[in-house]
Amino acid sequence: VISIVIVNWHTLPSLKLYLEGKRQDGTDTYGLLGIKDVEYEVIVVDNASTDGSLDYLTRLEKDGRIRLVANDRNLGYPRGLNLGLALAEGQLLISSNSDNELVRPDALSWILRVAEKHPKTLFGQQAVYLKDPPGFGYLQGHLIAFWRSFLEDVGWWQEDFGIGFFEDVELSWRAMKNGYTPLELRLWPIFHHGARSYLYRDAGAIDFPKLKE
């Protein structure tokens, strides 16, 4: 079983695209919930969204299509991931933003095939390489996959980063220090649109500096 843990905060249109392949222009594409070729579960952690996301996710949960964790406040991205991972039943675990989109219908089985060949690896779509230390590249945290044994060998997402900054750098560094290889897969079958929660922030809906305190 593959477990996909998605953390959401005010990204209803992106959720509909990611989960059901429903675009805002009325057309359809591939969605996670339409995958048929592999056994999986979807766990969505909602961080107190007020944009209709919670109602949408509640309907999906009632239909048995997802498992839902509804927080009463924004606990942040790393904390949300850990809450979802604690419920996960799969052996291959995928931590995910809510603003991703499948680009092929066999996306999960594609990731599974790659993961089976690399047991001590942290997988991601995009790496950023730093000058110091030389050669170290961290995987950007919008979608990272690893085997369950990773949690035992390396640990969970570091929650000290609050709503979510640099936790992907720390996780990649800790993985490398514990004998895991952060592996960038440029043909990753899931596209990241990016910064959809921050669009809500930038619209003035929240006091972002206060939220980071």
Side-chain angles (χ1 to χ4, degrees), residues 5-212:
V5 177
I6 301 168
V7 177
N8 175 67
W9 187 63
H10 296 112
T11 66
L12 179 58
S14 295
L15 270 179
K16 291 181 176 180
L17 176 62
Y18 194 17
L19 294 176
E20 296 187 285
K22 295 185 179 299
R23 297 191 178 103
Q24 287 184 277
D25 63 4
T27 61
D28 294 334
T29 184
Y30 311 119
L32 273 178
L33 299 181
I35 289 177
K36 306 293 185 184
D37 62 338
V38 67
E39 186 178 359
Y40 67 96
E41 63 174 354
V42 176
I43 301 168
V44 183
V45 180
D46 184 79
N47 272 329
S49 301
T50 58
D51 66 337
S53 292
L54 188 56
D55 289 340
Y56 169 69
L57 293 169
T58 299
R59 290 195 296 272
L60 292 179
E61 183 186 41
K62 287 181 178 178
D63 292 340
R65 304 181 71 191
I66 68 165
R67 300 169 68 187
L68 173 62
V69 178
N71 295 324
D72 59 4
R73 59 190 178 91
N74 189 350
L75 298 179
Y77 185 63
R79 174 61 175 156
L81 287 175
N82 285 342
L83 288 172
L85 290 170
L87 299 177
E89 298 177 356
Q91 289 302 309
L92 182 61
L93 308 174
I94 299 176
S95 300
S96 178
N97 283 186
S98 57
D99 53 354
N100 290 315
E101 178 183 354
L102 303 191
V103 297
R104 50 191 290 175
D106 63 340
L108 294 184
S109 59
W110 187 95
I111 295 172
L112 178 61
R113 288 194 299 271
V114 174
E116 287 175 336
K117 299 177 182 178
H118 304 278
K120 294 202 69 173
T121 302
L122 190 68
F123 305 93
Q125 178 188 26
Q126 187 172 4
V128 176
Y129 292 91
L130 306 180
K131 294 182 179 179
D132 185 18
F136 170 63
Y138 72 89
L139 295 176
Q140 293 189 325
H142 51 263
L143 199 144
I144 290 181
F146 46 82
W147 291 104
R148 177 172 293 276
S149 56
F150 179 88
L151 297 178
E152 301 169 2
D153 297 340
V154 178
W156 299 59
W157 287 90
Q158 175 57 255
E159 298 178 11
D160 292 345
F161 292 95
I163 64 171
F165 292 100
F166 305 110
E167 74 281 348
D168 46 7
V169 182
E170 191 277 336
L171 187 74
S172 297
W173 176 254
R174 189 156 31 101
M176 189 179 70
K177 298 294 284 186
N178 283 275
Y180 279 74
T181 302
L183 181 62
E184 177 185 30
L185 300 174
R186 291 188 175 267
L187 294 178
W188 196 259
I190 298 177
F191 176 77
H192 181 231
H193 287 278
R196 291 304 186 262
S197 286
Y198 297 116
L199 293 178
Y200 182 78
R201 174 205 73 184
D202 294 339
I206 63 167
D207 184 345
F208 186 63
K210 183 177 180 181
L211 183 62
K212 288 200 293 183

